[in-house]
Amino acid sequence: MANNIFEACKRMRRKNPKIPFPFDSFPIMGSFKNLNYGPFRENIRLFLQEFAEKFEDNAVPGWGHHFVSKRKYHLIIPEVDYWKKPLKDNFLDVRTHILYGLIHCNGYGHLICINGVKAPSNFLSETDAMNLWDRICSTLCTRKVSVRDEINLRLLYVVGYGQSWYGKWGYKFSHGTFGVRKGKYESAVEYLRSLNLDKIISDFKNKSRGGRIKQIINKYRGVVDIPLITLSDLLKFMLGFGGRARVQGKTENKVVKSSCQHVLKRRDNEEPTSFDALVTSIANSCRWPARRVEHVLKQIVNLLKQNKGGCDGNYGVSRYEMREELRKCVGDTGLIDFVLKSVNCFAIGNYVVRRSLNSSTRRFEFSIQEVLEEAEPDCQWPEERVEHASEVTANILTENSDEENTMPWRELQDKARECLGETQPIDCVVHSMDNPMIRNQSISRTRKPSTNKFELPIQGLIKDAQNDTMECSVAEDALYLYRSVLFGYRDTHPLSLATKAIMDSKYFVKEWCFKEHNLDPLIALSCLFLPSFDELETELMRPLSPAVVVAVPLSSTIGELKVVAQAAFRDTYCIMDKFVASQIGGLKKIDENKVVCHSIEPSSPVWVRGSGLDLGTTLRYEDGAQRLTVDCCCGAKYDDGERLATCEVCNVSQHTRCSGIAEKEGALSDFLCSDCVAVSRRK
């Protein structure tokens, strides 16, 4: 049967073929903006009068169990190079169009392909094209649109954001292949999203790729200001980072600026809060007296001193540990919590107490430092010179630290003198350090108890032969995690099974609902054809086709509704070209003299009985008259679009993948299903 297909109207083109329409407002333009929000089959006619030309071609199948629609509308934005050329005969098979969607006249359609324009101007991205498609469907009152998600590396997006890329426009899981159902898909997504990054590092620590996986995870943990705990946290940050920006360059700039900020703060003579001032400030903002606040602060100092004496280099105490220890000597947890959150940096005697964020654990810790006896020089150099000194410091510490990741201060000064010819800028930077991050390394200045000399311990130093991978782009890092983590476990591991379930979930659908308030003074009704019992048992054994939508005045009678419904069915489906409606109502006929608004709820389906179906036509169902019987070991009971092999004995079809047949093998003429193989073996 011939089918109407429509091409972009030439009269709407502008001198610049790359801007055929104002995409931000299309299709709400011209007389079409006066649309009355009626059924799709009526709206599309108005749309075609305004924007399109037509020609003839063959139909494209879809929505397999539906009756064959009389018209299918192809909405296409071809590639830029073809804007001034007519569409080729094979345009239905082309998947390089900027946008290609197909909608049946019953309002059900498919988004076949969508591609951004790969041009320097980037005048229409995939997101722009998708926004345009969504506006067209909404304006025309489309009912449902399906899409097959074939985006490269789509698994990364699902794990990062918890939905497919099309989910941003409301497309939800429709059905999977190889027996995957909605519950299995959602469980797989949740499992992968909640996978702990430390668990991944542990799983691969004894494998060849474990070093780089750990390196990538730690690199992004050092860049971002929020904790990256799960695989979802990491991938979401990477996908939103901004293309192929070099992370290492950003990290170094951040570190240098951080070091400079420490120096510049010293120029402003920023000092820790005095102990008495802190006690007064806290007491004035809480219900506890000053003496109790003072007692808690002194206990904090004592606990930090004890912890410092029992540790070698790392004096940090987590907030949880501090809280538990204070409860032993204070008791009032409300007071403890209030004081702990009020402490930032204060001085008491020859010590400075700080609360800071640990760069490796991403948790707040309390530490205490003894006031240095040496006079700390003020920084007298311009910012550019301080930045250079910070960079030299990073290089020296990275290349010359010992096995314990420490370096004596005097040795650092000697190395700096070789590079800069002087040590004063380095002294200014080092004296100003307060656990800054330099290339994923936490640097601090402490006095070693055994030698009573200052050293620079480096926490989290990465010494790996693959340090050059730090220069990899975000896209390369994401691709490595995709291949090495998501597809790096054994086939029977839960992660591999979850990955497989998501990869087998390709079909998504969006449903639009009628906005009844926009139809006033009309009422929108969904009319469902109800076949006779004989037709249901012998001819129409598949699920019923979707309802046709009609819009009638509120004052219409049931008899008038019957006439409108009959015309709508005839206009929509080939098999109902000569359909005659006999009654409104399913088992019980509704009096034709009654008013529609008093007899039918707008949200309820309207059953329509009648006769005159052309049961002899070959245009009965969209997927053809032949219906495969599918019974596969994966659980599939219908043709899900994957490659099938049909048993020559029982005519039951099974997936070739589930039957162990390679994709490269040709058509099989002697295939036997698993049940028939078992029967033949018993014989």
Side-chain angles (χ1 to χ4, degrees), residues 483-498:
R483 293 171 176 171
S484 301
V485 176
L486 294 175
F487 290 93
Y489 287 81
R490 64 182 186 276
D491 292 342
T492 56
H493 192 279
L495 185 142
S496 296
L497 297 177

Side-chain angles (χ1 to χ4, degrees), residues 23-39:
F23 288 106
D24 291 339
S25 60
F26 183 81
I28 310 300
M29 51 191 298
S31 60
F32 197 61
K33 64 185 178 182
N34 298 319
L35 181 69
N36 66 355
Y37 293 93

